Amino acid sequence: MILLIKLICKFFCSRVIFAAMLLIFGINFLFGQDSISKKVDKSVDNTFNSGVFLENQTCVMNYAKSFELVINHRFGKINTGSKEAWGIYSPSNIRIGLNYSILEYLQVGIGTTKFNKQQDANVKLRLIQQTISGKIPVSVVYYGALVYDARDTKSFDYPNFKESHRFSYFHEILVSHKFCNFFNLQVAPMYTHYNIVETTNNSVQSSSGDTLAHRIRRNDNFGLSVLGKINITSTISFLFEYDKNFTKLIKETEVYKNPKPNIAIGFEKATAAHSFQLFVSTAEAITYQRNMVYNQNVFIGKGDKEWWFKSDLVIGFNITRIF
């Protein structure tokens, strides 16, 4: 009987010891896992509310397998005055696009723009992403767009027209940094190539054709974009943008002038699935390469009238919806 009691005690004691050890090691394991998870360097998110920003793109990429509908609208110039409701009644420009995120770091898209019946295809690729610890201080994303001018062939009124002349290309590297919860900034070197440019005899010339002396405009253009967001509330932000083309014309004429900078300021209302941006801008072409190379609008005009009557601002809005 005594032997049986000893065996029972030994059995239960061993069970209790085993349970206690399991509990201790389990707690240590859980705390260990928690400390490890805290050491994981998470990526910074919400740098911007949308991949579309006034007249440019941002480093934002949507989640994988998602679609994004984009609507860009530009009214006429506000200097038309009250008769045209400051551009609202004037002829407008609009683009409708659809993007698809193949992966969380790879997006493709297509779009159509009213001006010159431009059809575009684009790709967006995240290269690196800013981390909370600051080990990676910036996010870097590549964006590229190809535009096809789909106007009737009669619109290309010159003898050496080729189908390749319809194409133009835009590339940029988006470098952004989230400074804090209310201020974010992005800088983007830009490059545009047109297969055709104007010449001194008012025709156009391909990049592999006539000598440089006959061209007015260069086929290749280089520039820089700077844009930022200041959060006013959790859903409303103030936006600003400045895009500069550093490439000058080979020869300025009364008809052809050096491109003016694109300037835009406005506000954004955003939720998790959509963004609405309302702003004024000097860029009205919507497509990036057209705005970069051909913009002639000025933000502040000169003269005895109020600046908004002498400027070439247009009212615009962008809408994005993820689904």
Side-chain angles (χ1 to χ4, degrees), residues 73-77 80 84 87-93 114 284:
H73 194 285
R74 306 293 182 269
F75 293 103
K77 296 177 182 178
T80 54
E84 295 295 324
I88 294 177
Y89 297 157
S90 303
S92 60
N93 192 19
K114 176 182 175 182
E284 56 185 335

Side-chain angles (χ1 to χ4, degrees), residues 70-73 93-97 110-113 120 122 286:
V70 180
I71 299 174
N72 311 102
H73 194 285
N93 192 19
I94 187 171
R95 176 186 180 272
I96 299 177
I110 55 173
T112 180
T113 304
D120 68 88
N122 56 79
I286 298 181

Side-chain angles (χ1 to χ4, degrees), residues 9 12 15-16 57 68 75 128 197 240:
C9 290
F12 279 104
R15 286 294 183 91
V16 170
Q57 289 281 313
E68 180 184 40
F75 293 103
I128 59 175
V197 292
F240 61 90

